[in-house]
Amino acid sequence: MLCCLFSLNSWAQGSQPLNLKEITNGKFRAESLRGIVSMADGEHYTRMNNEGTQILKYSFRTGEQVGVVFDVTTARECNFKTFDGYTFSPDETKILIRTETVQKYRRSYTAVHYIYSIKNNKLETLTDGGPQEAPVFSPDGTMIAFVRDNNIFLIKMLYGNSESQVTEDGKFNEVINGIPDWVYEEEFEFNRALEFDADSEMLAYIRFDESEVPLFNLPIYAGMAPHIRQFDTYPGEYSYKYPKTGEPNSKVSVHTFDIRSKVTRKMNLPLDPDGYIPRIKFTKDANKLAIVTMNRYQNRLDLYFADPRSTICKLALRDESPYYIDEKILNNIRFYKDNFSFVSEKDGYAHLYWYSMGGNLVKQVTQGKWEVTNFLGWDEASDTFFYQSNEEGPLCKAIYKVDKKGKKTKLSEGKGTNNAHFSSTMKYYINTFSNLQTPPVSTINDNNGKVMKTLIDNSAVKQLLTQYSLPTKEFFTFNTTQGTTLNGWIMKPAGFNASKKYPVLMFQYSGPGSQQVVDNWAGPSWESYMTTKGYIIVCVDGRGTGGRGEEFKKCTYLNLGVKESQDQVETAKYLGTLPHVDKNRIGIWGWSYGGYMTIMSMSEGTPVFKAGVAVAPVTDWKYYDTIYGERFMRTPKENAEGYKAGSAFTRANNLNGRLLLVHGMADDNVHYQNVVEYSECLVQADKQFEMQIYTNRDHGIYGGNTRYHLYTRLTDFFITYL
C-alpha cells in the first residue's frame, strides 16, 4: 500500500524545463563547506578558498573570517599559483602545502609538497627527490615521513631538511611500505599505513608483500580529454596487483623503526597467514601501538596493543559476527589517554562501547533498535559522548550527546540528514542539514545544539530552482509477497495526472549496507530530467541494504544478488498494480552494484522489465576483489553454490527485455572484463543486447564530454525501448 511519509512540493514553480547539459555541468550543484580543519585551540578552523590560492582562518564562535594563514601571492619563494591541499604541523607553526597532485586510485595520489613557515612567511621544498605520497608530521613537528616509490623516507627539519631512507626493499608490484595496496585502499578505505609514536622517537608501518598477488592489465589508448600522445600508434597498458576472490592477497606485517638507533623490528603479531591488518595507530602512550587485525572471512576483528621495542602484542579486544564485521566500524576506533571507543553490532545494531586501555569494557554508551552511524568524539572535561545516529528512523540522521550520567540530548534541530564536524575541544560543531525539500544548510552550533550562525543556506540554488518546472518526490513503503516491508521514494513529473498511465524507470544500488532511500537533498539529477520526458522514477532499498539493523543488512550473506533481485522484481510488480502506472513499460537501471542488480533483476525469471541499463556492473563475483567479495560470499571454492546463484552468467538464458551494457575500459575497480565476458555469454545464449564503451575511463566514467554523452545515451535508450 502506498504510504506517503514526506513529500517535496517545490516552492514557487517556474515553467522552464530541466536541461540535461545544465545538470551534467553542475549548474544546480549546492554550495558546501569542504576541507574544514579544526585548529588546536578549538576556537578556530581553517579551509582553502575556492580558487586554491589561500588558507583562510575563521572563528568557530562567530563564523567570521579572522585572518589569512597562507597566500600564494604574498608567501616568500612561492613558485606555484595554486595548491591542492595542506596539513598543519602539530604546533601549527608550519604547514605542509600540497601541489601538482596526480591521482593514483580512489584515495591515493602523489604530489609535490612544500614546507611553509608561518612565522617567516617562507616556503621551501620538502625534498628534491621526486613526488611524495602520504606525508605525516611527527608529533614534535621536527620531522616528516613520507613514501616514494614504495619506500619510506624521513625528513629532519632541524638538520636542514636532511633526507634519509627508512626502507630499502620497496618495489613496484612486489613490496609496498607505508601505504596500502590497491585492495586495502579500496575496501578498507585508507591511504596511509605509516605512523609516528607520541614521543617522536619511533615510526610504525605496514609492509605489503604483493609479489604473489596476480597481475591485472588495463589497456590504455591515446584517447582524448586527456590525449596520451605516446599511445598514438600502438596502445599501452597499466599492470597492477589485483587479488580476485579466492586468489592470494598481500602478505602483511607491522614493523617499527627506531629513529635514533635506526633499528627496524617486526611486531610479533598473532595473525593468520591470510589475515588482514586494516589499521595501525599509535596511542597517546608511546609504548602502545594499536594494531587491528581481521581474519580472511572478516567475521573476527582483533585489537592488539604492541610494544614497538619488545615487539610483544597483547590482545585488548575481540569482536565476532556470525556473518561479517562491517568495515565502517574501523573509522570509529578512537584512542584517548585512558580509554578507547569501539562500535559493534553484537547486539544486532551498531552501538558505541567504551573500553579502558587495558581492554576492559567500561560501558555500552548507546543501545536500542537503531544504529550509531558515526562516533563524533568525547569531551574529557564533561565526560560526554557525541555521535550521529538514525534514532528517528532509517531514513534520517541526527546528532546526539550522552553525558556521564547517561542523559541523552538531541542536538540537531531539523529532521532529515545531519552531519557534524566538531572543533578539537568539542566546544563547537558545524552542522550541515538537508532533507528532501531543503538544500544543505550549514550552521555553527555550540555543543548544546544552539545555532550561533548560519554559514551557508543555499538560497541561490533555491532561487534558481524557482525558474524551473520540477518533479515532486515523496517517500513510500510497501510489503512484498514474502512479508518484508521496504522503503522507497517516487518522483512524479510536474503536472502529474493521476488519470494517466505513465512508464516507470526504477533506479537502485542495492549493495550491502548501502542506502539510496534517505531523507536528504539530492537536487536536480538525470532522474529528475527523465520526468520531463514523461517518466515516473522510483527507487527502493531492498533486503541487504543499511539503516535497519544487522539482520536486515546481512540476510544476503553468502547469497549476493538473489534476495536483492527478488525485491526489485517485487517492486516492479507492486508498481504495476497502481492505477497511474503502465505495467508493460517498466525499466530499471543502476551503476556498479546497481548495474549488477539491473542484470540480475532482468534475469530473475519474472518478465516485468521491458528495458534496463547496467553501468559498470559486476557480472560474476569471481571477477571482483577478495576483501569485498569474500566479506559477503567467502571464496568461490568454499561457496560454489552461492557464486553460481549470484552470477549473471547462470541467468543469461532468462534475460528478458532490452539491455544496454555500459563500461569504462580503464576501470581499475570493476574490470571491463565483466561486461566483455558477460556479453559473450549473451551472444552464445542468442540474446540481443547493446553496448556503450568508454575509452580510458575508470569506474566514474567522466572527463571531457563523457558524462553528457553517457546520460544522452541512457536517455535515448529508454525513450526508444520504454
Side-chain angles (χ1 to χ4, degrees):
M1 181 177 185
L2 191 69
C3 172
C4 177
L5 304 178
F6 195 89
S7 65
L8 163 62
N9 293 307
S10 302
W11 42 89
Q13 281 270 3
S15 58
Q16 192 171 331
L18 288 169
N19 176 285
L20 182 57
K21 196 79 171 181
E22 291 178 336
I23 290 171
T24 57
N25 71 16
K27 181 174 182 177
F28 304 105
R29 190 175 296 129
E31 185 183 356
S32 62
L33 276 175
R34 289 193 295 270
I36 297 168
V37 177
S38 176
M39 300 193 75
D41 64 5
E43 294 293 327
H44 300 91
Y45 67 93
T46 63
R47 58 189 294 255
M48 287 170 58
N49 65 355
N50 294 333
E51 295 75 30
T53 59
Q54 293 178 318
I55 300 173
L56 307 176
K57 183 177 180 180
Y58 297 85
S59 164
F60 266 117
R61 188 172 55 82
T62 66
E64 298 295 329
Q65 182 184 330
V66 295
V68 177
V69 182
F70 172 75
D71 190 327
V72 296
T73 63
T74 58
R76 294 163 56 203
E77 299 190 26
C78 181
N79 61 5
F80 50 85
K81 294 182 178 179
T82 62
F83 62 102
D84 307 319
Y86 67 97
T87 306
F88 278 99
S89 63
D91 65 2
E92 297 179 340
T93 62
K94 298 180 180 69
I95 308 176
L96 195 62
I97 304 290
R98 173 164 59 90
T99 70
E100 299 179 46
T101 304
V102 177
Q103 204 72 27
K104 279 178 58 181
Y105 304 122
R106 191 190 297 263
R107 296 171 180 85
S108 59
Y109 53 82
T110 62
V112 175
H113 292 85
Y114 295 81
I115 304 169
Y116 174 67
S117 168
I118 295 176
K119 181 180 179 180
N120 298 328
N121 188 32
K122 185 179 178 182
L123 280 158
E124 53 186 331
T125 56
L126 175 63
T127 171
D128 295 323
Q132 311 92 43
E133 288 188 66
V136 56
F137 274 104
S138 60
D140 66 6
T142 66
M143 293 174 284
I144 295 173
F146 65 87
V147 174
R148 182 198 298 128
D149 298 330
N150 290 11
N151 279 313
I152 298 169
F153 293 80
L154 187 63
I155 298 289
K156 294 183 178 180
M157 288 177 277
L158 296 179
Y159 296 90
N161 293 353
S162 64
E163 179 178 313
S164 58
Q165 190 164 339
V166 175
T167 64
E168 304 278 352
D169 59 345
K171 186 178 180 182
F172 182 63
N173 280 338
E174 290 190 18
V175 173
I176 309 172
N177 294 293
I179 53 175
D181 65 4
W182 184 94
V183 71
Y184 268 69
E185 175 186 332
E186 176 66 26
E187 306 300 357
F188 286 139
E189 301 180 355
F190 69 111
N191 66 0
R192 192 184 78 228
L194 175 63
E195 295 278 332
F196 279 96
D197 75 336
D199 292 341
S200 303
E201 295 178 355
M202 306 281 286
L203 274 173
Y205 60 94
I206 305 176
R207 179 183 185 270
F208 296 80
D209 180 350
E210 58 176 1
S211 56
E212 294 180 14
V213 178
L215 271 174
F216 193 86
N217 302 315
L218 293 174
I220 307 295
Y221 299 90
M224 296 175 67
H227 173 69
I228 309 173
R229 190 176 300 278
Q230 70 191 86
F231 302 133
D232 272 346
T233 306
Y234 290 93
E237 65 179 17
Y238 176 74
S239 300
Y240 69 116
K241 296 300 184 91
Y242 183 106
K244 294 179 184 282
T245 50
E247 298 291 338
N249 276 312
S250 290
K251 291 181 173 65
V252 287
S253 52
V254 177
H255 302 257
T256 60
F257 175 76
D258 189 311
I259 296 169
R260 185 171 297 171
S261 68
K262 298 184 179 178
V263 173
T264 299
R265 300 175 176 92
K266 180 181 177 181
M267 297 300 98
N268 188 20
L269 186 66
L271 180 70
D272 296 344
D274 57 355
Y276 296 112
I277 306 175
R279 290 290 189 278
I280 60 169
K281 180 72 176 178
F282 264 112
T283 66
K284 306 294 183 185
D285 181 348
N287 295 314
K288 280 188 175 180
L289 169 64
I291 304 174
V292 177
T293 71
M294 297 179 83
N295 61 339
R296 184 150 177 169
Y297 288 162
Q298 297 169 72
N299 61 4
R300 186 186 75 238
L301 180 149
D302 290 333
L303 172 62
Y304 291 93
F305 287 131
D307 185 308
R309 290 180 173 84
S310 74
T311 76
I312 294 172
C313 299
K314 294 183 178 180
L315 182 66
L317 177 148
R318 170 168 287 179
D319 195 31
E320 295 183 280
S321 168
Y323 311 103
Y324 58 88
I325 304 290
D326 195 317
E327 88 286 353
K328 296 181 182 66
I329 283 169
L330 296 167
N331 297 325
N332 290 300
I333 304 173
R334 309 273 183 84
F335 298 99
Y336 299 87
K337 184 175 180 289
D338 300 314
N339 302 90
F340 67 89
S341 62
F342 191 77
V343 170
S344 172
E345 295 179 294
K346 59 187 175 184
D347 73 353
Y349 293 84
H351 281 295
L352 179 61
Y353 296 80
W354 193 237
Y355 287 85
S356 72
M357 288 301 286
N360 297 312
L361 178 64
V362 177
K363 61 181 173 181
Q364 181 175 344
V365 180
T366 64
Q367 54 189 322
K369 292 187 176 181
W370 44 267
E371 299 180 342
V372 170
T373 47
N374 196 12
F375 172 52
L376 299 169
W378 175 63
D379 178 20
E380 183 176 5
S382 62
D383 192 12
T384 301
F385 299 86
F386 297 85
Y387 64 91
Q388 177 198 59
S389 78
N390 65 2
E391 295 178 49
E392 295 181 309
L395 279 60
C396 302
K397 290 179 181 176
I399 311 302
Y400 293 84
K401 70 175 180 179
V402 173
D403 67 18
K404 59 185 176 182
K405 295 181 179 179
K407 180 187 176 184
K408 180 168 61 180
T409 305
K410 182 188 171 192
L411 301 181
S412 52
E413 293 180 355
K415 187 173 182 181
T417 298
N418 293 271
N419 293 296
H421 182 104
F422 273 82
S423 66
S424 57
T425 56
M426 308 303 292
K427 187 177 179 180
Y428 312 99
Y429 70 97
I430 294 175
N431 189 85
T432 299
F433 163 76
S434 77
N435 63 19
L436 214 57
Q437 61 182 359
T438 310
V441 176
S442 294
T443 56
I444 293 182
N445 308 261
D446 66 20
N447 61 13
N448 292 313
K450 179 184 176 182
V451 175
M452 302 167 67
K453 183 179 178 65
T454 298
L455 300 175
I456 292 175
D457 63 6
N458 273 299
S459 56
V461 171
K462 289 183 183 180
Q463 185 60 38
L464 175 64
L465 290 176
T466 61
Q467 304 170 25
Y468 289 82
S469 176
L470 299 173
T472 58
K473 187 177 181 180
E474 56 197 30
F475 293 121
F476 70 94
T477 61
F478 79 99
N479 293 325
T480 69
T481 58
Q482 294 175 318
T484 305
T485 300
L486 300 180
N487 298 320
W489 55 253
I490 185 168
M491 193 186 293
K492 299 173 183 176
F496 172 76
N497 184 345
S499 64
K500 284 179 58 178
K501 283 191 178 292
Y502 292 84
V504 170
L505 178 56
M506 288 169 47
F507 162 74
Q508 45 66 53
Y509 180 74
S510 303
S514 67
Q515 281 184 272
Q516 298 297 315
V517 184
V518 287
D519 193 4
N520 66 8
W521 173 256
S525 60
W526 176 70
E527 287 83 7
S528 310
Y529 171 72
M530 289 301 285
T531 65
T532 70
K533 303 297 182 182
Y535 294 87
I536 288 175
I537 312 295
V538 173
C539 178
V540 165
D541 281 342
R543 285 172 290 178
T545 56
R548 299 176 60 176
E550 187 178 44
E551 185 178 344
F552 188 86
K553 177 172 68 176
K554 298 179 181 179
C555 71
T556 60
Y557 184 58
L558 300 181
N559 282 285
L560 289 187
V562 178
K563 291 178 180 177
E564 305 98 301
S565 57
Q566 288 173 355
D567 287 349
Q568 295 304 313
V569 168
E570 286 272 338
T571 301
K573 289 165 68 176
Y574 163 72
L575 293 170
T577 67
L578 301 180
H580 50 270
V581 169
D582 183 347
K583 67 178 183 180
N584 296 315
R585 289 194 294 158
I586 298 177
I588 185 170
W589 93 281
W591 198 307
S592 195
Y593 200 103
Y596 164 66
M597 194 44 47
T598 293
I599 297 170
M600 294 294 284
S601 300
M602 293 178 70
S603 312
E604 187 265 354
T606 309
V608 291
F609 297 108
K610 189 179 182 187
V613 174
V615 181
V618 173
T619 57
D620 193 300
W621 291 107
K622 71 182 180 184
Y623 294 141
Y624 203 55
D625 73 60
T626 47
I627 295 178
Y628 187 94
E630 294 175 15
R631 180 185 299 153
F632 310 117
M633 294 286 278
R634 297 201 174 180
T635 67
K637 187 176 180 180
E638 294 169 303
N639 184 23
E641 288 303 310
Y643 274 78
K644 182 179 178 182
S647 172
F649 289 66
T650 57
R651 293 188 173 196
N653 285 320
N654 290 333
L655 178 67
N656 184 270
R658 302 292 304 199
L659 175 64
L660 170 61
L661 299 171
V662 180
H663 220 105
M665 295 185 75
D667 191 333
D668 63 293
N669 184 354
V670 181
H671 297 143
Y672 178 48
Q673 173 189 26
N674 281 270
V675 298
V676 171
E677 297 290 2
Y678 178 62
S679 67
E680 171 66 4
C681 186
L682 292 179
V683 169
Q684 299 310 321
D686 199 26
K687 294 285 185 177
Q688 293 296 323
F689 61 96
E690 296 184 25
M691 286 184 76
Q692 179 67 56
I693 305 305
Y694 288 98
T695 306
N696 292 355
R697 301 306 172 197
D698 64 13
H699 198 56
I701 311 182
Y702 62 91
N705 190 54
T706 305
R707 270 296 170 94
Y708 180 67
H709 187 280
L710 168 63
Y711 282 116
T712 300
R713 180 77 166 95
L714 268 58
T715 302
D716 293 345
F717 177 82
F718 281 119
I719 287 174
T720 300
Y721 296 113
L722 207 57

